[in-house]
Amino acid sequence: MRDILINGLESLNISYTDKMVEDVDALYEMLSERNKSVNLTRIIDKEEYYTKHILDSLLIVKTYDPDGKKILDVGTGAGFPGLPLKIFFPDINIVLLDSVNKKLLFIQDVIDELGLKGATVVHGRAEDLGHDTEYRERFDAVVSRAVADMSVLSEYCIPFSRVGGSFISYKAYDSDSEIDASCNSVRILSGSLPVITGAVIPGTDIERKLVRVDKISETDPRYPRSPKQISKDPLL
Ligand code: SAM
């Protein structure tokens, strides 16, 4: 079974140690156990865990080199893509953000159990923390998977990126119209034209689009707006 993971890592040119692979398996055990009491994931099959959680999270290497960077994972849920990034790129400094505290309690347990240094959790909504000077424009990269459509997600994420940094979102292969519709909102938020990279999750035939937006200048302090305004009147 581990071959799926190992072959996937090799096809993505990601170097690994035995300890990293053991950490991936330990995370699976913790996720399966906690999932009995807290709704963390629908993926319970180990092969699917390797492909749809671990290797999918690592697809970022197709568009961005995370090594040594300060990264924020917005809407991390049970820790994806943030935890796999931290396991395989131990030199990154990662902050895992979510509005649901019980998910973060799980992630904190994982951080403690695996002894991950340079990984912290933060509880709150992206729309609020995006105005907090501790987080606003402080990150080399902001990543997010399965949280909101591209236009809304841009308003959540771009304010956290430093000028010259990047926002990378994991989208489904058929998300072209959603990406096209977000170009104006990305521009309003001071992001570049999106760079779209197609990729297949190793060991599967699942195609992905990784969308990278680079931050050109500071984001107008009006953004992000309140959750109510964002949902009522998305930037288009
Ligand atoms: N990124 C994870 C993954 O791909 O497995 C979790 C995806 S889950 C479908 C969406 C997560 O985003 C949930 O944990 C939810 O609490 C969080 N979320 C949604 N909107 C948010 C917001 N505005 N601020 C912070 N977290 C948010």
Side-chain angles (χ1 to χ4, degrees):
M1 178 83 72
R2 267 189 180 176
D3 288 354
I4 290 167
L5 176 65
I6 302 298
N7 293 340
L9 292 169
E10 287 174 357
S11 76
L12 293 172
N13 279 322
I14 294 174
S15 47
Y16 59 91
T17 62
D18 288 348
K19 162 85 169 80
M20 290 171 183
V21 174
E22 282 159 19
D23 281 355
V24 168
D25 285 348
L27 174 57
Y28 176 74
E29 296 305 327
M30 292 182 78
L31 191 56
S32 305
E33 186 53 37
R34 190 69 60 91
N35 213 33
K36 292 175 187 162
S37 53
V38 180
N39 186 13
L40 291 171
T41 182
R42 273 176 294 162
I43 296 173
I44 44 167
D45 174 76
K46 190 150 189 192
E47 184 173 327
E48 270 196 300
Y49 162 77
Y50 281 148
T51 53
K52 295 186 182 170
H53 275 332
I54 303 298
L55 295 171
D56 188 31
S57 296
L58 296 172
L59 280 183
I60 192 175
V61 298
K62 296 275 183 187
T63 188
Y64 184 80
D65 178 7
D67 205 17
K69 303 294 198 317
K70 182 171 180 182
I71 298 178
L72 176 70
D73 181 4
V74 171
T76 187
F80 301 101
L83 286 174
L85 293 180
K86 181 62 194 169
I87 291 171
F88 288 99
F89 297 92
D91 291 339
I92 68 173
N93 183 309
I94 188 130
V95 177
L96 303 120
L97 182 163
D98 206 281
S99 56
V100 177
N101 202 37
K102 62 188 173 184
K103 298 185 180 182
L104 298 176
L105 294 175
F106 166 73
I107 295 174
Q108 187 60 57
D109 286 346
V110 172
I111 290 171
D112 295 341
E113 180 72 22
L114 303 186
L116 302 175
K117 305 271 182 276
T120 49
V121 298
V122 58
H123 178 219
R125 291 197 64 94
E127 302 90 317
D128 299 326
L129 290 164
H131 290 284
D132 184 330
T133 53
E134 195 180 335
Y135 301 104
R136 188 179 177 89
E137 307 208 312
R138 298 281 178 187
F139 294 89
D140 298 314
V142 184
V143 299
S144 193
R145 184 182 83 159
V147 172
D149 80 54
M150 190 61 196
S151 179
V152 170
L153 196 60
S154 298
E155 190 162 351
Y156 289 172
C157 294
I158 293 175
F160 291 112
S161 169
R162 67 171 174 78
V163 175
S166 302
F167 155 49
I168 299 117
S169 122
Y170 295 66
K171 287 289 169 194
Y173 199 74
D174 59 358
S175 52
D176 282 349
S177 56
E178 179 192 326
I179 299 166
D180 284 350
S182 72
C183 284
N184 197 39
S185 59
V186 166
R187 187 186 55 75
I188 292 169
L189 295 156
S190 301
S192 67
L193 265 182
V195 176
I196 302 166
T197 305
V200 177
I201 302 176
T204 75
D205 54 8
I206 302 168
E207 297 181 75
R208 268 264 177 231
K209 284 217 166 97
L210 293 145
V211 187
R212 198 189 81 228
V213 167
D214 298 324
K215 176 105 162 222
I216 292 170
S217 59
E218 283 183 22
T219 300
D220 186 319
R222 280 178 294 174
Y223 305 109
R225 297 164 299 154
S226 70
K228 207 168 145 192
Q229 275 179 298
I230 293 178
S231 60
K232 207 178 83 188
D233 182 24
L235 292 173
L236 287 174

